[in-house]
Amino acid sequence: MNVTLSPWSTDDDEALAAAVRDSPDLAVQLGDEALGTPEAARSYIERYLGHDEGTITFAIRVDGTAVGHVALSHIERRHDTAWASYWVSASRRGHGLASRALATVAAYAFDTLGLFRLELGHRVNNPASCRVASAAGFSAEGIERAKLRYGSDRYHVETHARLASDPAPALALVPVVPLVREAVPVR
């Protein structure tokens, strides 16, 4: 299994649609967007999965096919912080892909971007996401009550953070490779 990170491309529309069909729980993560068709997925990629000054996104690829996502958003230079996020399609979970991708993006944030603090949050009813964060070296810092709302439901969120001065986790990092086909343009 060849695992890499690279920018999203509109050519990933079929893979994103397949991941959403494979993983109904992603609807909450992706803002309840109906992304089960290539057309809808392509539009989502164009709107949300490109790079800009405050956001860097990567597709997690297995043998060249996008099966997940890892990103840094809300990159803030005054305090050198950013928000990390991730997901992997249901059929690819349980193999350490998200943890390795998150650890890779953290190393990129610290070593290349010069950031100092990365934060992330997961719903407390998602213990798998907690395991991903912990494996990637993010320490739990506390619970934010009723922080997220999906539909009419509110969820408590456990916040995690990793500092540039924290020890790196003992995970094999994922190669970051340039995309051969055209990446999503800057928004």
Side-chain angles (χ1 to χ4, degrees):
M1 174 169 49
N2 181 31
V3 181
T4 58
L5 298 182
S6 65
W8 281 92
S9 164
T10 53
D11 292 340
D12 293 319
D13 56 355
E14 294 273 355
L16 178 57
V20 170
R21 288 191 305 270
D22 181 46
S23 318
D25 59 308
L26 284 180
V28 170
Q29 179 112 0
L30 301 178
D32 290 323
E33 298 257 352
L35 301 177
T37 68
E39 296 78 21
R42 178 179 283 263
S43 176
Y44 186 87
I45 291 167
E46 289 171 340
R47 285 182 291 145
Y48 299 115
L49 300 182
H51 291 333
D52 67 22
E53 189 174 300
T55 303
I56 298 172
T57 65
F58 294 100
I60 302 169
R61 299 182 187 281
V62 172
D63 299 328
T65 300
V67 299
H69 171 79
V70 63
L72 296 172
S73 61
H74 301 91
I75 298 171
E76 193 275 315
R77 288 301 181 172
R78 181 169 188 275
H79 300 289
D80 291 326
T81 62
W83 185 261
S85 60
Y86 49 90
W87 59 261
V88 173
S89 66
S91 64
R92 293 297 185 159
R93 293 177 189 158
H95 302 285
L97 296 175
S99 297
R100 290 179 58 209
L102 181 58
T104 300
V105 167
Y108 176 80
F110 299 143
D111 300 341
T112 302
L113 300 179
L115 298 180
F116 182 76
R117 178 182 170 87
L118 302 180
E119 300 174 353
L120 63 84
H122 64 82
R123 296 182 321 272
V124 295
N125 68 341
N126 187 349
S129 190
C130 185
R131 288 190 296 273
V132 167
S134 296
F138 285 72
S139 298
E141 293 192 330
I143 304 294
E144 296 177 88
R145 298 176 305 127
K147 180 175 184 171
L148 298 178
R149 182 183 68 195
Y150 298 115
S152 61
D153 296 324
R154 287 220 163 256
Y155 296 89
H156 297 337
V157 171
E158 183 171 56
T159 302
H160 291 243
R162 184 167 161 200
L163 307 179
S165 56
D166 289 342
L171 290 175
L173 300 183
V174 178
V176 178
V177 297
L179 197 61
V180 174
R181 54 194 185 270
E182 188 170 326
V184 176
V186 173
R187 293 178 266 150

